[in-house]
Amino acid sequence: MEADSPENFRLTVLNPGGRDPEQQFHSLPAPGEGAHPPINFHAFAACTFGAFLRDTRGALGENTPVLLLLRSDFRASERAIVDLKKDGRTVAVSLKETGLHQITQQLREPGKLSRFIKIVTQAGTCVATTPEAAEIYQRVSSKHDPATVAFIPTPYPIEDQRWNFSMPRNEQSGIFIGTREWDVPSRNHFATLLVARELCEATREPVTAVNLDGYKGRRLLGELNFPEGKLRLIEKWKTYPDYLRDVARHKIVLQLDRSHVPGQVGGDALLCRIPASVVMAQSNELRFPKRAAKAGRSAKSLQWRWIY
């Protein structure tokens, strides 16, 4: 994906048929501005002052290289790449959902697998937000050429002070649970809660968990018998800045995620300037490689790594 010069490079991220809002990034939006924060795949457009679009005609009008996202049954992406290539556009592709369990779910149907292989072959270039996804793209490609696959972790606006959500240490307390899905085995949400309970009992630090499963979720959490008054629940959707302010009030983000996802929670922790411990997600492994490599699996091993 070449441009006349690096400083003039702009990228259009095309999510054909998707529901995420379209957005032109003429500048980096401040927290609360714009239709979508500059995270996930919107971040690729934001960091190049490009555009995030859903319509192929709009992408053609941008006259820039295109990062084409593959979602749903891939049919819309299949049509889009034909139009983009016909117009002579430089195209790289990426699955929109890139956790290993998500990739498996997307490619277990013959029709979708066939379209995926066809699109990757047509594009000739893939962008992977995790090393695991990069390996899959490379092996699917007919050329098996490492140069056709770029591993680019999801950008985060950590250099922009408007996105610095850090708080004074004397205003921080407790553990924020970085996972919330009980039904995805690789998230290890249940195991994370057990470790958090042990840490809570040992340190008397409070624990915050997100529960969007209503009464059922509250019952499950109640069965874990956290010390009285030490478990706080967030039970409604919040704006992204308000969510970051909640995260920033804690000393640490805890998760045992083994999904090999790009790591939005790790990225959220970066914006809050707090560590995410025992996280197998790309954002935090790259930011804290030694901590990620050495992180233990038991509450006892975590206690001596307690940051404050």
Side-chain angles (χ1 to χ4, degrees), residues 155-231:
Y156 272 82
I158 58 174
E159 296 178 355
D160 189 318
Q161 283 303 304
R162 297 174 301 171
W163 285 93
N164 182 348
F165 280 78
S166 62
M167 294 184 63
R169 291 187 180 184
N170 61 3
E171 296 180 20
Q172 294 175 314
S173 66
I175 306 162
F176 185 89
I177 302 297
T179 51
R180 60 178 176 83
E181 297 167 294
W182 294 88
D183 57 347
V184 179
S186 59
R187 296 293 194 195
N188 286 323
H189 184 53
F190 174 58
T192 304
L193 288 165
L194 292 179
V195 171
R197 186 184 64 183
E198 290 186 47
L199 285 170
C200 176
E201 292 169 344
T203 66
R204 306 307 297 172
E205 291 281 352
V207 175
T208 299
V210 175
N211 172 45
L212 299 178
D213 296 319
Y215 175 70
K216 178 182 178 181
R218 285 193 297 275
R219 282 199 62 188
L220 287 168
L221 290 163
E223 293 295 330
L224 296 179
N225 293 316
F226 275 80
E228 185 173 355
K230 291 296 185 179
L231 179 63

Side-chain angles (χ1 to χ4, degrees), residues 202-276:
T203 66
R204 306 307 297 172
E205 291 281 352
V207 175
T208 299
V210 175
N211 172 45
L212 299 178
D213 296 319
Y215 175 70
K216 178 182 178 181
R218 285 193 297 275
R219 282 199 62 188
L220 287 168
L221 290 163
E223 293 295 330
L224 296 179
N225 293 316
F226 275 80
E228 185 173 355
K230 291 296 185 179
L231 179 63
R232 172 178 174 254
L233 301 183
I234 297 175
E235 298 193 279
K236 64 179 182 179
W237 288 102
K238 299 193 174 193
T239 66
Y240 188 58
D242 284 345
Y243 157 76
L244 289 178
R245 293 183 186 100
D246 266 345
V247 174
R249 294 187 182 100
H250 297 79
K251 292 181 177 180
I252 195 169
V253 173
L254 178 66
Q255 56 179 338
L256 302 172
D257 198 332
R258 295 291 177 272
S259 300
H260 296 279
V261 292
Q264 181 179 330
V265 175
D268 300 338
L270 291 180
L271 295 179
C272 298
R273 308 308 196 259
I274 62 175

Side-chain angles (χ1 to χ4, degrees), residues 66-85:
V66 175
L67 174 58
L68 175 63
L69 303 183
L70 314 184
R71 58 171 297 279
S72 187
D73 61 6
F74 306 152
R75 292 184 187 276
S77 302
E78 186 178 33
R79 293 190 294 268
I81 196 169
V82 171
D83 292 340
L84 292 167
K85 285 292 188 178

Side-chain angles (χ1 to χ4, degrees), residues 83-94:
D83 292 340
L84 292 167
K85 285 292 188 178
K86 184 178 180 180
D87 196 64
R89 199 58 49 92
T90 300
V91 182
V93 299
S94 174

